Amino acid sequence: MPDYKLRIFVEGIDQASGVLKGVGSALGDIGKVAAGVGIAGILGSATRGLMEMAGGALDSYAAYERLGLSLNSLAAKEAILTGQASTMQEAMAMTSGKSKELLDWVQKLAIESPFRQEDVSSAFRLSMALGFNTAEAQRLTKAMVDFSTATGAGGESIERVSRALGQMKTKGKLSAEEMLQLSEAGVDANAILMRAFDMTGPQLFEAMKKGAIDVNAAIEAIVSEMEKLYGGAAKNSAESMGGLLSTLSEIGEISSRNLMTGVFQSAQPYIAAISSFLTAPEFQAGLTAFGAVLGTFTTEGLESAAGAIQRMSDAVTPLLDAQAPP
């Protein structure tokens, strides 16, 4: 069998020795050899695997890039609000390094917890958007991740708690709506605040109605309680089998993204040029004009086909009528 494979391979090369003479036959023979030893199947699987990896890496790279831009915008907004910068352009340039640090922090927290990067980044960005500064948002997100891990809640629980606390901060007061949201997410905010302010339930309710509870003190009490009860839960969970599998999945995505980043960055200018060309008014106008001509051809072709079918029907119908039984 090995001699047979070798002979076909050599003959295939020999047949192609002329100027493109017998190339089709030679390639056919070589293809038979590849099929015989399974190379074609291996290469096909490898190619499909590479394309799937590249596609996944591209999606991950695009999402990571969008996240970086989002974090940069939020950091820039904070710089403007605190008077560190006067324009968005200045603020974006000033905070580009900070956004990279935040990206690394989000990625690290995702690896060290059973949650995906999307869950962590969503909670962090929501906290920033609802008025918490960078340090506060990081602390709150970490506490939410630990709480959700310890209580077995999902990523949506992180968002619900972050949103409720953010709304409290934005409104500047406690309300029954946010307290209910926290309770539905598994946070017993009423009990926490009763202990923190040494009040009974009715006393806390009356104080809330009068706006006598300092909202920042209330948020601090809730976050501190969660840190005390659940601190480190996410990292401990990451060492379980389920956590390790989640971590491996996250690392695999990060690794494939890092592997292909250079390729994507090199391709971006060309993709941008192609995009500009395809979206140019002149090109789109040309497509519209061509489509009009093509539509004419299509209409004529359909009309011709319909006419031919009708003529065939007219010719066949009498024959069928003649053969029909009386």
Side-chain angles (χ1 to χ4, degrees):
M1 181 62 75
D3 293 339
Y4 175 68
K5 293 176 184 174
L6 178 61
R7 181 175 62 78
I8 293 177
F9 182 77
V10 173
E11 285 180 359
I13 296 297
D14 182 64
Q15 290 175 33
S17 60
V19 181
L20 300 180
K21 181 181 179 180
V23 171
S25 176
L27 291 176
D29 287 338
I30 293 172
K32 293 176 184 177
V33 177
V37 297
I39 293 177
I42 294 172
L43 291 178
S45 298
T47 301
R48 286 192 297 272
L50 182 61
M51 293 300 292
E52 289 174 1
M53 184 191 76
L58 180 57
D59 291 340
S60 176
Y61 176 80
Y64 190 72
E65 189 177 46
R66 287 194 300 271
L67 176 58
L69 291 172
S70 175
L71 293 178
N72 198 0
S73 296
L74 289 171
K77 171 188 170 185
E78 184 179 6
I80 292 176
L81 292 176
T82 56
Q84 301 175 54
S86 55
T87 66
M88 178 57 73
Q89 184 176 3
E90 179 187 357
M92 290 286 283
M94 178 187 299
T95 58
S96 60
K98 181 64 176 178
S99 66
K100 180 61 172 66
E101 292 178 10
L102 291 174
L103 268 174
D104 293 340
W105 175 81
V106 167
Q107 186 171 275
K108 185 173 184 291
L109 186 54
I111 290 174
E112 294 181 348
S113 75
F115 293 98
R116 303 285 295 172
Q117 180 176 288
E118 292 79 7
D119 296 321
V120 176
S121 62
S122 177
F124 175 77
R125 286 181 293 175
L126 179 60
S127 298
M128 287 280 288
L130 290 174
F132 292 99
N133 62 37
T134 300
E136 290 171 339
Q138 284 181 284
R139 181 190 175 197
L140 178 58
T141 302
K142 176 76 167 59
M144 295 307 101
V145 168
D146 282 330
F147 159 75
S148 298
T149 300
T151 58
E156 70 281 356
S157 178
I158 299 177
E159 180 178 346
R160 290 174 70 182
V161 175
S162 297
R163 185 178 299 278
L165 294 177
Q167 289 173 342
M168 287 165 55
K169 186 173 182 65
T170 301
K171 292 178 179 179
K173 64 177 183 178
L174 298 185
S175 71
E177 179 184 356
E178 283 76 44
M179 298 294 281
L180 179 60
Q181 289 179 22
L182 290 171
S183 178
E184 290 175 343
V187 179
D188 192 354
N190 284 304
I192 293 173
L193 296 184
M194 285 163 57
R195 287 193 295 270
F197 299 117
D198 193 22
M199 293 180 177
T200 64
Q203 288 174 333
L204 178 64
F205 180 73
E206 285 299 318
M208 286 174 53
K209 284 178 60 178
K210 296 176 181 178
I213 300 292
D214 182 88
V215 68
N216 291 320
I219 293 174
E220 174 62 30
I222 293 171
V223 175
S224 295
E225 180 84 357
M226 296 174 75
E227 289 174 332
K228 175 183 176 182
L229 295 176
Y230 310 114
K235 191 168 185 177
N236 292 334
S237 176
E239 296 175 359
S240 67
M241 180 56 72
L244 289 172
L245 291 175
S246 176
T247 296
L248 285 176
S249 174
E250 196 77 31
I251 291 175
E253 182 177 320
I254 293 169
S255 299
S256 63
R257 180 178 69 229
N258 289 340
L259 176 65
M260 301 298 293
T261 290
V263 176
F264 298 146
Q265 289 178 341
S266 297
Q268 273 182 283
Y270 300 99
I271 296 173
I274 293 172
S275 178
S276 296
F277 172 76
L278 294 177
T279 55
E282 297 80 4
F283 178 79
Q284 292 300 320
L287 279 181
T288 301
F290 180 76
V293 175
L294 184 62
T296 301
F297 290 155
T298 303
T299 301
E300 292 176 353
L302 289 174
E303 290 176 349
S304 298
I309 291 172
Q310 185 62 52
R311 289 192 295 273
M312 290 173 62
S313 176
D314 293 342
V316 170
T317 299
L319 296 176
L320 294 175
D321 290 341
Q323 295 178 4

